[in-house]
Amino acid sequence: MERPEVMSIQSSADVVLVRQAVRQCAVDLKFSLVDQTKLVTAASELARNTLDYGGGGTVTIETVDTGDRRGVRLTFADQGPGIPNLELALKDGYTTGGGLGMGLSGTKRLVNEFDIVSKVGEGTVVTIIKWK
Amino acid sequence: MGSTSKIPEILQHHEAELLSAWLQEITATSNRRGLLKEVELREECREFLSLFREAVRQNSTSTSDIQGIAWQEMRNLLTAISRSRSQKGFSPSETASFVFSFKQPLFEQLQRELAQDGQALVDNIWMATHLLDKLGLFTTEIYQKTREEVIRRQQEELMELSTPVVKLWDGVLALPIIGTLDSARTQVVMESLLQKIVETGSEVAIIDITGVPTVDTLTAQHLLKTITAARLMGADCIISGIRPQIAQTIVYLGVDLANVITKSSLADAFALALQRVGLKIVQRTQP
């Protein structure tokens, strides 16, 4: 598979495709089954956020290699309304959309590196890395 | 366009020639001869010709719009043709070629008729190509719509098929979920489960998620909703088929399934369910 790969997220069917592509990427890097599942679940959460709150966007799937370790980096970007209060959004149980409120905070626990940049009115970019 | 179109006239006078030239063109370019009966094809071509003539005649001044009343019959014919081609396994370009292949015979005929009048020839060819292009594209659109309908129907059928509620024992139901648990799916799952609980008066329902590849917070929320609804109907739910990697992911994700009875395998869940309804499986003693 060619990397980096950019996929569009415009419907819940796309979320399924993103999961499959991320799983394939993790399998290619020989991630353990648990790490595969964690990464795919994190991707699923963020892709759904991009769709539900960001009004659709893109995900970039790429492998990173620092010489001593390898991993997968996922970048979710949308041009949605943005998140006014990031601290609150990252709190367990806080939701504005009727979900469980565990998506962002849970995702943070599932991956090794988590970065979120959001500007109100401009959109949100979430970058995660899962090292092998 | 100064002069009115010569096309209706030419179509009328040379119908037979055009028809046979067109058929020849179709059979020469198509490699799917076996799929279409000669008679059917001839009939379709003949009908197309006469409708085309009528439509152009009625609309001899404004020709750009094939969505008008004059083209209604033509659109119906092309819709029918496109649908049947799509079902027979033709590709979209093969389907559109039916219309496009009419260009050559028609242009040749126009050339013969209007050889002396260059301007009229260009006008007529331009008009014909414009119309035929639109009609050809129309068949492609219909073709695609037909395919989309098929896909949508299959999705619906799949949804129905993939959420069976089975009775394991008196009072014990099982719901094996395979694939992604999205909102639409959950709705179907919940409905069929609740319905079955009423029908059978079951006290225990086992939801088996062995076949669910990813359990994220949305899936978990859908599961919890289904369980809560079942509980309101007086049935307890057991979730089975939680694989080790899913269990770890749920813990990290922070989803609270503490209030839900979970078992790693369907067999364990079934044993527990039997216990709940006061039954026990024992080894048969030798007579």
Side-chain angles (χ1 to χ4, degrees), chain B residues 1 3-8 10 106-107 110 114 117-130:
Chain B
M1 210 180 292
S3 58
T4 50
S5 171
K6 288 273 187 291
I7 293 175
I10 290 170
L106 180 62
F107 291 178
L110 283 168
L114 301 167
D117 189 349
Q119 186 58 44
L121 178 63
V122 172
D123 283 350
N124 277 286
I125 286 190
W126 172 244
M127 172 185 156
T129 197
H130 197 72

Side-chain angles (χ1 to χ4, degrees), chain B residues 25-215:
Chain B
E25 177 73 24
I26 289 177
T27 33
T29 51
S30 164
N31 47 5
R32 300 251 190 177
R33 244 164 291 171
L35 278 177
L36 275 183
K37 288 200 189 80
E38 185 87 26
V39 192
E40 271 177 53
L41 186 61
R42 178 175 287 273
E43 184 52 34
E44 284 169 357
C45 291
R46 203 192 51 69
E47 211 176 331
F48 180 92
L49 274 182
S50 77
L51 289 174
F52 189 69
R53 188 183 66 220
E54 269 317 300
V56 178
R57 194 206 306 281
Q58 283 181 33
N59 246 9
S60 58
T61 45
S62 76
T63 52
S64 53
D65 187 20
I66 64 154
Q67 298 302 330
I69 290 276
W71 293 94
Q72 180 64 48
E73 294 275 313
M74 179 57 109
R75 288 201 303 273
N76 292 347
L77 172 71
L78 287 178
T79 304
I81 289 178
S82 198
R83 277 178 200 282
S84 80
R85 294 278 201 282
S86 150
Q87 277 153 11
K88 280 177 184 147
F90 281 70
S91 74
S93 33
E94 282 167 329
T95 307
S97 295
F98 169 77
V99 176
F100 292 141
S101 60
F102 180 52
K103 280 188 179 182
Q104 197 178 348
L106 180 62
F107 291 178
E108 279 171 3
Q109 194 63 43
L110 283 168
Q111 204 169 13
R112 276 196 288 275
E113 294 288 317
L114 301 167
Q116 311 80 9
D117 189 349
Q119 186 58 44
L121 178 63
V122 172
D123 283 350
N124 277 286
I125 286 190
W126 172 244
M127 172 185 156
T129 197
H130 197 72
L131 281 174
L132 290 174
D133 283 352
K134 286 208 165 174
L135 293 172
L137 289 175
F138 178 76
T139 62
T140 312
E141 257 173 52
I142 295 295
Y143 182 95
Q144 196 184 346
K145 262 189 210 150
T146 314
R147 280 295 162 99
E148 276 165 10
E149 276 166 26
V150 171
I151 293 172
R152 203 164 39 242
R153 206 174 52 234
Q154 283 174 344
Q155 270 175 341
E156 279 164 17
E157 280 170 11
L158 213 59
M159 188 108 90
E160 293 274 311
L161 280 179
S162 57
T163 51
V165 182
V166 291
K167 183 175 160 187
L168 292 182
W169 204 265
D170 274 340
V172 182
L173 295 177
L175 177 67
I177 302 176
I178 292 171
T180 304
L181 199 58
D182 57 17
S183 307
R185 199 66 197 287
T186 308
Q187 195 57 41
V188 179
V189 166
M190 210 189 291
E191 269 172 30
S192 44
L193 178 65
L194 297 184
Q195 192 58 40
K196 204 77 172 185
I197 288 175
V198 175
E199 278 170 24
T200 59
S202 294
E203 290 165 42
V204 186
I206 302 170
I207 301 177
D208 185 75
I209 58 165
T210 311
V212 179
T214 313
V215 180

Side-chain angles (χ1 to χ4, degrees), chain A residues 71-119:
Chain A
V72 178
R73 174 164 55 215
L74 305 177
T75 311
F76 294 84
D78 67 63
Q79 274 88 49
I83 305 168
N85 189 340
L86 271 181
E87 207 179 315
L88 201 56
L90 284 164
K91 229 173 97 179
D92 273 347
Y94 176 80
T95 180
T96 56
L100 287 179
M102 306 301 286
L104 269 187
S105 50
T107 302
K108 205 174 166 182
R109 289 188 289 267
L110 286 172
V111 296
N112 301 112
E113 287 176 35
F114 181 95
D115 179 55
I116 180 164
V117 179
S118 187
K119 275 208 177 119

Side-chain angles (χ1 to χ4, degrees), chain A residues 15-89:
Chain A
V15 177
V16 178
L17 293 179
V18 168
R19 278 207 293 265
Q20 283 168 0
V22 170
R23 185 179 297 274
Q24 188 56 49
C25 187
V27 169
D28 290 351
L29 283 183
K30 301 201 170 55
F31 271 46
S32 73
L33 196 53
V34 173
D35 282 344
Q36 276 177 35
T37 311
K38 283 181 182 173
L39 181 63
V40 170
T41 309
S44 179
E45 294 294 343
L46 294 178
R48 189 164 294 107
N49 281 353
T50 302
L51 179 67
D52 289 350
Y53 299 103
T58 58
V59 57
T60 311
I61 305 170
E62 53 199 331
T63 52
V64 277
D65 195 340
T66 59
D68 54 341
R69 55 180 183 174
R70 301 212 293 158
V72 178
R73 174 164 55 215
L74 305 177
T75 311
F76 294 84
D78 67 63
Q79 274 88 49
I83 305 168
N85 189 340
L86 271 181
E87 207 179 315
L88 201 56

